[in-house]
Amino acid sequence: METRHNFGSKIGAVLAAAGSAVGLGNVWRFPTEVGNNGGAAFIMVYLLCILVIGIPVMMSEFLIGRHTHANTITAFSKLAPGKWWRIEGVAGVFVAFMILSYYIIVSGWTLYYLIQSVSGRLMADRDYNAVFDTYVSDPWLPVLTGASFMFLTHFIIARGVQSGIERFSKLMMPMLLFIIGILVVCSFGMPGSKEGLRFLLKPDLAKLTGSVVLSAVGQAFYSLSLAMGCLCTYASYFRPDTNLPKTAAGVSIIDTMVAVLSGFIIFPAVFSVEAVDVTAGPGLVFKTLPSVFNIAFGHLPWLGYAFSGFFYMLLLLAALTSAMSLHESVTAYVLEAFHMSRRKAAAAVSFSCMTLGVACSLSFGPWSHLTLFGLNIFELFDFVSSKIILPLGGIVICLFTGWYLDRSLVESELTNGGKLRFRLFRLYYFIIRFVAPLAIAAVFVHELF
Ligand code: PFF
């Protein structure tokens, strides 16, 4: 079996974990949720969820991974030998596999839109609903773009922890932040920027309903990559001197900043164009935005190419760093459990995920008639993974850390054996035992019924 590597530097560890968190969920799902849930009021609750639930749960995943130095399934087996808790590890790896299968397809869409943008074809089109629908229902093209994206992910994972994940995270995360900076500045210069900013910054408390709160908790979990074994796997490569509470706070700050800044990019642009609906849902990024780019930059097409090109590049980088962590969560298990070389394990994961990915992609076209409970294959994967396994996994992680593990083990791991001070430990422990599991249970019940 290959030697297990750690991340070479603390900044590498933070950027890799932040790369996992920053993904389509920030640039695509967050603005959609903000649009659907009334703007600033949603953002307020979201920030609270990150602080009160997201960071403590992330710390728990970190401590499980770093303490055991193993893939997620082995981690639970080591901490609770012969007990049922192992199922949580299995569920984590399984759900990462499922999510990766459809995540690569949506990521492939971003690759396609990037190519269309820089080649100028996107700006030349007019009917963006038809462009999107024709593309996703094609039997070949989205499979091809998804496979190209999978190839990129595979290439990085096969290179290993330090020269693959860490090196590319250190390269891509600063690029991503730089692109966000450019786009925010451009977006502020747009005619609708004032209205967009008002929507994002002025909370209308009347819009604060129970369903808004629950959507915010769900978004926080998805965005921080919690309960999927990814952060647990990455933490198994953290060095013994990594400060877990600080790293969790750093990752959450980067993730939240990217989400909020994506809102600052999208809404001023969207409000610049009359008759564009902010509550457009998932089509916001692939249908609404191209028409915004077209109308806003119609007189200066080269600026449109640049703006839309940068935007889809941002989406692609974000998707790639997240897909890497999903892939690694499964690859680490396969290579450690079956004593394979990393290259072979990564190839087995890429190939089997891509096979499922083809089914997900075809569910928008030739296989759209194959449904279960009214959901096509793609929607079924999304539903089962993010609405069922994920929240249940979140609850189990809280119960495992808060009630099963020894308090002294938890405290020792979070303070590096007493070398660091962590003043908020008692608050953390209270949250992880009571507040977080109850909040997640509320989301679960709400989402399901
Ligand atoms: N957090 C990622 C995003 O916001 O897009 C999605 C994700 C990645 C979820 C990795 C779960 C995961 F394990």
Side-chain angles (χ1 to χ4, degrees):
M1 195 161 81
E2 306 198 342
T3 9
R4 216 167 195 282
H5 289 282
N6 280 351
F7 288 126
S9 60
K10 284 186 197 163
I11 183 75
V14 173
L15 290 180
S20 168
V22 173
L24 296 175
N26 302 60
V27 192
W28 172 54
R29 198 171 186 271
F30 180 78
T32 306
E33 291 282 298
V34 172
N36 285 334
N37 289 300
F42 174 84
I43 298 184
M44 252 172 44
V45 186
Y46 177 76
L47 295 180
L48 202 70
C49 290
I50 295 278
L51 202 68
V52 178
I53 306 173
I55 298 180
V57 175
M58 190 184 288
M59 279 159 47
S60 306
E61 285 208 28
F62 279 173
L63 77 88
I64 294 171
R66 211 241 333 241
H67 184 79
T68 52
H69 283 292
N71 66 77
T72 315
I73 298 182
T74 313
F76 280 89
S77 306
K78 272 188 173 175
L79 284 168
K83 299 260 169 46
W84 284 93
W85 293 107
R86 183 174 193 272
I87 293 179
E88 169 50 24
V90 176
V93 172
F94 177 72
V95 84
F97 183 75
M98 249 177 127
I99 293 186
L100 184 60
S101 314
Y102 74 82
Y103 207 81
I104 48 171
I105 298 301
V106 182
S107 306
W109 299 350
T110 68
L111 183 61
Y112 176 77
Y113 272 71
L114 173 64
I115 297 169
Q116 295 295 97
S117 294
V118 292
S119 66
R121 253 171 278 157
L122 194 68
M123 292 294 284
D125 276 313
R126 285 283 176 271
D127 185 352
Y128 291 101
N129 288 347
V131 169
F132 181 74
D133 294 337
T134 313
Y135 163 62
V136 296
S137 59
D138 188 278
W140 296 106
L141 201 50
V143 170
L144 193 73
T145 48
S148 313
F149 180 85
M150 181 50 122
F151 181 76
L152 284 178
T153 315
H154 172 86
F155 171 78
I156 296 171
I157 294 301
R159 293 178 67 101
V161 175
Q162 279 194 9
S163 40
I165 299 172
E166 183 172 2
R167 186 157 152 226
F168 282 89
S169 300
K170 275 172 147 172
L171 183 76
M172 289 193 283
M173 289 307 286
M175 263 165 76
L176 184 146
L177 296 174
F178 178 70
I179 294 180
I180 289 198
I182 297 183
L183 291 178
V184 170
V185 173
C186 289
S187 208
F188 279 167
M190 288 191 159
S193 65
K194 270 206 191 110
E195 225 178 310
L197 288 182
R198 198 170 313 125
F199 181 69
L200 286 171
L201 296 176
K202 220 164 155 225
D204 175 358
L205 294 183
K207 296 208 169 121
L208 213 57
T209 60
S211 120
V212 169
V213 175
L214 294 169
S215 306
V217 183
Q219 172 62 20
F221 257 74
Y222 187 86
S223 187
L224 292 178
S225 304
L226 297 176
M228 273 170 261
C230 294
L231 293 182
C232 192
T233 308
Y234 272 11
S236 73
Y237 306 129
F238 284 179
R239 297 183 334 185
D241 61 345
T242 302
N243 182 330
L244 299 186
K246 257 196 190 161
T247 307
V251 170
S252 306
I253 289 172
I254 297 180
D255 186 68
T256 308
M257 231 174 60
V258 173
V260 173
L261 288 179
S262 298
F264 281 132
I265 294 169
I266 290 176
F267 288 105
V270 169
F271 275 96
S272 299
V273 175
E274 275 175 46
V276 171
D277 182 10
V278 287
T279 62
L284 190 68
V285 161
F286 295 108
K287 293 177 175 174
T288 313
L289 271 190
S291 72
V292 169
F293 295 148
N294 199 318
I295 299 170
F297 298 112
H299 53 297
L300 287 172
W302 64 270
L303 208 59
Y305 300 162
F307 196 93
S308 63
F310 270 130
F311 181 79
Y312 290 110
M313 183 71 194
L314 165 69
L315 214 52
L316 184 71
L317 287 174
L320 187 54
T321 49
S322 295
M324 276 156 50
S325 71
L326 289 162
H327 200 305
E328 179 61 21
S329 175
V330 190
T331 302
Y333 167 68
V334 174
L335 82 84
E336 286 170 12
F338 300 101
H339 307 291
M340 280 182 171
S341 72
R342 172 168 278 275
R343 275 174 200 282
K344 277 198 189 137
V349 174
S350 300
F351 184 77
S352 35
C353 252
M354 195 56 226
T355 311
L356 283 188
V358 171
C360 290
S361 182
L362 291 180
S363 66
F364 289 96
W367 288 4
S368 57
H369 59 285
L370 295 180
T371 56
L372 191 68
F373 308 119
L375 302 173
N376 67 26
I377 302 174
F378 182 99
E379 290 162 343
L380 197 68
F381 273 39
D382 182 36
F383 182 82
V384 174
S385 53
S386 41
K387 302 258 161 77
I388 299 185
I389 307 181
L390 203 139
L392 285 179
I395 297 173
V396 175
I397 286 179
C398 294
L399 299 180
F400 184 71
T401 332
W403 297 92
Y404 178 78
L405 288 184
D406 262 358
R407 184 188 159 121
S408 56
L409 183 151
V410 174
E411 189 164 9
S412 156
E413 201 57 51
L414 291 178
T415 57
N416 293 354
K419 288 195 203 94
L420 305 170
R421 283 186 71 181
F422 177 36
R423 288 209 197 95
L424 299 177
F425 179 77
R426 291 173 77 185
L427 178 64
Y428 157 81
Y429 207 58
F430 176 73
I431 288 178
I432 220 62
R433 297 186 105 193
F434 301 104
V435 182
L438 287 174
I440 306 166
V443 177
F444 182 56
V445 173
H446 171 267
E447 292 274 6
L448 224 51
F449 303 107

